[in-house]
Amino acid sequence: MPGFELFGDLERKEVNDVLQSGVLMRYGFDGMRQGHWKAKELESEIKKQLNVAHVQLLNSGTAAVSVALAAAGVGAGDEVIMPCFTFVASFEAIMMLGAIPMLVDIDDTLTLDIEAVKRAITPKTKAIMPVHMCGSMANLNALKEICNTNELILIEDACQAIGGTYNGKSLGTIGDVGCFSFDFVKTVTCGEGGAVVTNNPDFYKNADHYSDHGHDHHGQDRGAETHPFLGYNFRISELNAAVGLAQAKRLPEFLEIQKKNYTILRKALSDIPEITFRTVPEGGVESYAFLNFFLPDLEMARRTSEAFKQAGIDGCFHYYDNNWHYVRKWEHLKNIKSLFPISNELKIGLKYLHTKSFEQSDHYIGRNISCLIKLSWSEDEVNERASKMVEAIKFSI
Ligand SMILES: *Cc1c(COP(=O)(O)O)cnc(C)c1O
């Protein structure tokens, strides 16, 4: 992560195809497009790589989460259980449908704590959404069982974990529906883009129609198509899809580089007895997009984060003090700073955030540092980085 580091001739070729035909839209214009269907080709490529029956490309990962929920019938007043450590997009996408994000604690996997999920289930709960943060996953077998018992939908926000697996299956393809982001800083980038993946043909059909104003996509004449239900526009452009097509074909290469660089850094840090690493659930294999480790306490983590900055070690995050990824700094959500009036149902539904504390999550996020694994580092650069990190940590503990 991120794939843009390795842009080259392949990306340029795909984009040039689109510019030459001049068709920037993914639907229609069959005669003019000279056989170029970049969005469709990218959907096929993702299907093949993730081994999943259906893929719907969209214009962002945030749109992917909203479309996935809508496709599964989640809407106004429904509660969606999600972790308190994620990117803000996760709750934005839920609230866009009038549904209520129910934030719960994470554990040492840095994703949903199973017991906290069980405690959060109410008669209004409609879905559980684990977020596979920083390249690794929640205990999906346990979540599947909870969903089966309680008749809930399991939706995976796999935006940061493309290429990771669980019991041999690609992350994103294990629940009822999965979401990916191809924004500029993700492992595979379209510039902006996202995808919903599913093995459920009804959810796929819903996502396909809903993301294009309800168009049924039958026949060759867009104007003559029918609209079986209401929709919006979350379409991706052919230009964005073209970049993603070149990138997605390189995913196996990207994953190999991530794993190699991750392994060097992890091995170096393993020699420090005070350092522990995030737990990966049994059967899980990380995408190696990040290396996550814990310091013994909050102050040591703060000192380490500062020492990394002083030493010029970039791309490492102490999310406890970050505005975008952890509930501690989400005052705009707690106080519902909305530009427009929101429903009373949602207002009442979010009141719990004024009293709920997240001590267990503070315990993990406060001590965690998450380092982005880059694709463009040379082996010498990774080795040098590893020694600098070890030195900065030893100085801070
Ligand atoms: C990036 C990201 C998103 C949103 O994706 P965009 O394409 O930027 O809209 C959602 N969830 C997580 C966990 C992300 O990292």
Side-chain angles (χ1 to χ4, degrees):
M1 217 162 120
F4 77 75
E5 293 177 89
L6 300 185
F7 274 162
D9 290 342
L10 290 167
E11 286 76 6
R12 267 190 290 280
K13 189 231 161 240
E14 298 294 348
V15 173
N16 278 335
D17 283 350
V18 177
L19 289 174
Q20 252 149 28
S21 76
V23 179
L24 309 190
M25 182 168 174
R26 68 159 301 175
Y27 297 114
F29 301 91
D30 297 25
M32 223 179 117
R33 66 170 64 240
Q34 300 160 16
H36 297 308
W37 298 90
K38 300 304 180 188
K40 277 191 204 298
E41 275 184 60
L42 177 49
E43 286 166 351
S44 301
E45 184 64 31
I46 297 169
K47 268 186 244 177
K48 195 175 74 188
Q49 292 217 19
L50 301 186
N51 192 21
V52 68
H54 307 284
V55 176
Q56 179 66 39
L57 272 182
L58 300 157
N59 56 11
S60 76
T62 312
V65 178
S66 268
V67 169
L69 290 165
V74 178
D78 293 333
E79 293 179 358
V80 179
I81 295 174
M82 58 166 274
C84 63
F85 171 54
T86 176
F87 183 49
V88 290
S90 306
F91 65 74
E92 291 168 353
I94 294 168
M95 287 167 67
M96 204 173 80
L97 301 166
I100 304 162
M102 300 303 288
L103 274 51
V104 305
D105 269 320
I106 55 133
D107 59 18
D108 62 357
T109 65
L110 297 177
T111 68
L112 284 177
D113 174 52
I114 301 303
E115 293 310 312
V117 169
K118 286 184 189 161
R119 285 194 298 271
I121 293 173
T122 77
K124 286 186 174 177
T125 308
K126 192 83 171 271
I128 299 177
M129 183 165 80
V131 182
H132 306 319
M133 278 301 274
C134 311
S136 185
M137 76 291 315
N139 181 342
L140 288 165
N141 273 354
L143 291 176
K144 264 188 125 148
E145 206 178 299
I146 296 172
C147 286
N148 288 342
T149 312
N150 296 278
E151 292 182 39
L152 304 175
I153 288 152
L154 182 60
I155 154 168
E156 297 174 71
D157 179 341
C159 287
Q160 291 193 11
I162 194 163
T165 61
Y166 183 76
N167 291 336
K169 286 186 182 168
S170 295
L171 293 180
T173 70
I174 293 145
D176 297 292
V177 55
C179 307
F180 289 98
S181 164
F182 306 125
D183 78 19
F184 193 53
V185 294
K186 298 301 202 285
T187 304
V188 165
T189 184
C190 290
E192 299 286 357
V196 166
V197 306
T198 183
N199 288 310
N200 180 319
D202 294 326
F203 290 179
Y204 165 65
K205 193 186 77 181
N206 290 346
D208 170 273
H209 296 12
Y210 179 72
S211 58
D212 186 23
H213 304 294
H215 269 273
D216 66 12
H217 298 144
H218 286 313
Q220 315 268 303
D221 179 358
R222 266 179 78 77
E225 289 178 19
T226 66
H227 30 68
F229 48 77
L230 296 167
Y232 279 104
N233 175 7
F234 298 112
R235 293 187 307 255
I236 192 164
S237 87
E238 283 286 276
L239 283 172
N240 291 101
V243 177
L245 178 58
Q247 289 256 299
K249 287 180 181 165
R250 303 172 71 187
L251 179 60
E253 172 198 341
F254 292 176
L255 293 172
E256 207 174 299
I257 299 171
Q258 281 182 176
K259 183 175 181 182
K260 188 169 136 245
N261 292 345
Y262 169 107
T263 306
I264 294 173
L265 295 181
R266 177 159 179 154
K267 192 164 170 292
L269 267 55
S270 302
D271 290 338
I272 307 172
E274 289 88 348
I275 295 290
T276 53
F277 296 93
R278 92 186 290 176
T279 297
V280 176
E282 202 188 320
V285 177
E286 295 182 68
S287 77
Y288 304 106
F290 290 84
L291 175 65
N292 283 273
F293 57 93
F294 299 107
L295 280 301
D297 65 36
L298 171 62
E299 285 319 312
M300 288 185 202
R302 278 192 167 133
R303 281 203 296 274
T304 301
S305 176
E306 191 50 41
F308 278 4
K309 278 181 198 139
Q310 295 298 328
I313 301 162
D314 62 349
C316 290
F317 309 98
H318 184 220
Y319 286 120
Y320 190 77
D321 291 328
N322 172 298
N323 289 340
W324 295 94
H325 293 86
Y326 186 49
V327 64
R328 205 169 81 89
K329 299 282 185 110
W330 294 344
E331 285 88 9
H332 66 320
L333 172 64
K334 287 176 213 163
N335 299 323
I336 317 183
K337 293 269 185 187
S338 175
L339 286 177
F340 48 85
I342 64 163
S343 75
N344 270 333
E345 218 167 14
L346 187 47
K347 261 188 215 164
I348 294 163
L350 286 172
K351 278 201 169 143
Y352 74 97
L353 283 173
H354 286 282
T355 47
K356 189 173 165 94
S357 61
F358 294 90
E359 280 144 42
Q360 179 179 310
S361 305
D362 287 343
H363 173 72
Y364 292 110
I365 296 299
R367 298 181 301 117
N368 174 253
I369 289 188
S370 181
C371 291
L372 186 64
I373 303 295
K374 289 201 182 165
L375 297 171
S376 59
W377 291 330
S378 69
E379 199 165 322
D380 283 348
E381 281 171 331
V382 186
N383 285 323
E384 192 191 329
R385 188 181 181 83
S387 352
K388 276 193 189 169
M389 283 171 74
V390 169
E391 204 178 306
I393 294 168
K394 284 188 172 159
F395 171 80
S396 309
I397 56 181

